[in-house]
Amino acid sequence: MLKQVAKGIAAQFGSSCEVVVHDLSRHPDHTIVAIENGHVSGRKVGDGASHVVIEQMETNDPEPKDHLCYLTKTPDGKILKSSTVYIRNGKGKVSGILAINYDISRLLMVESAVQELISVQESTQSEPEKIVNVNDLLEELIQKSVALVGKPVALMNKDDKVKAIQFLNQNGAFLVTKSGDKIAKYFGISKYTLYSYIDAKQS
């Protein structure tokens, strides 16, 4: 049904409107089961989760609020007007996400003439959120963990690394396939040490 809805929305609004269906029962590496006008963000069926999907899979929030009419930004600089709608199964559990991303880059040049079409509810939003693939998201989370500690890896002690790795764990980094190998290598520790840092902090 969602695939049919996605086709209908995309047909209604044309080639600038990307519609994505995420299946949350799948692995984060390949949650996209349907996508229309994927050229907008450069994604395709079988690609991984975006940040909002990773967040839902990590928290498993039973009552997430739909996120409507906010700005996102693609890696190549397109500005999109986006909406994220959470889909529930027959038991009321969130099982999927329907995402709509409309490329308003060209419309922004004539904003005064189409103000009502491109206006956003979150007027105080300072910078568009980024749409990234799951591997790009992991790299971004690693950089945020380093920024959180406030010093390069070469100067980090054990407590610093525990803090950084806990941040990654809490933000869903370990849902990404083979992320443990990449994170352990980045921080110059073994996988055994990596998981001991997580367990020690949680204890």
Side-chain angles (χ1 to χ4, degrees):
M1 183 192 72
L2 290 176
K3 291 180 180 180
Q4 183 179 0
V5 170
K7 283 184 179 293
I9 294 173
Q12 174 70 21
F13 294 102
S15 62
S16 293
C17 183
E18 176 188 78
V19 189
V20 189
V21 179
H22 292 277
D23 183 351
L24 299 189
S25 69
R26 290 175 169 240
H27 191 279
D29 282 358
H30 46 83
T31 58
I32 296 179
V33 293
I35 186 167
E36 299 294 327
N37 295 324
H39 61 270
V40 172
S41 67
R43 294 176 294 175
K44 62 184 183 303
V45 170
D47 277 353
S50 60
H51 185 272
V52 69
V53 180
I54 285 281
E55 185 178 57
Q56 176 59 28
M57 296 177 81
E58 176 70 13
T59 62
N60 201 25
D61 185 352
E63 292 295 334
K65 292 183 179 179
D66 293 340
H67 197 186
L68 307 177
C69 299
Y70 60 100
L71 296 181
T72 53
K73 183 178 180 181
T74 66
D76 61 358
K78 295 175 185 172
I79 302 298
L80 314 179
K81 181 179 178 182
S82 300
S83 289
T84 301
V85 180
Y86 294 95
I87 308 300
R88 291 167 175 77
N89 60 22
K91 296 180 180 180
K93 180 180 179 181
V94 176
S95 59
I97 288 177
L98 178 68
I100 304 170
N101 304 303
Y102 193 92
D103 184 0
I104 60 170
S105 303
R106 287 177 295 180
L107 293 176
L108 286 172
M109 293 186 291
V110 288
E111 182 176 0
S112 60
V114 289
Q115 182 62 43
E116 183 176 350
L117 177 62
I118 65 172
S119 63
V120 295
Q121 293 177 357
E122 297 179 6
S123 57
T124 59
Q125 184 177 347
S126 59
E127 185 176 341
E129 298 175 17
K130 294 180 180 178
I131 289 183
V132 295
N133 286 324
V134 68
N135 290 327
D136 298 326
L137 178 61
L138 176 59
E139 183 62 35
E140 185 174 311
L141 287 173
I142 290 175
Q143 294 307 316
K144 285 183 177 180
S145 73
V146 173
L148 177 68
V149 173
K151 63 178 73 170
V153 174
L155 299 180
M156 288 186 187
N157 58 29
K158 176 181 176 181
D159 289 340
D160 294 331
K161 291 181 180 180
V162 168
K163 183 177 181 180
I165 289 166
Q166 273 296 300
F167 171 84
L168 293 173
N169 185 44
Q170 292 164 4
N171 285 273
F174 292 100
L175 290 173
V176 180
T177 298
K178 297 183 179 179
S179 58
D181 293 330
K182 183 172 183 177
I183 292 169
K185 182 177 180 181
Y186 187 89
F187 286 96
I189 57 178
S190 67
K191 287 189 69 175
Y192 174 81
T193 300
L194 173 70
Y195 293 115
S196 72
Y197 281 0
I198 295 173
D199 293 340
K201 184 70 174 181
Q202 289 176 338
S203 299

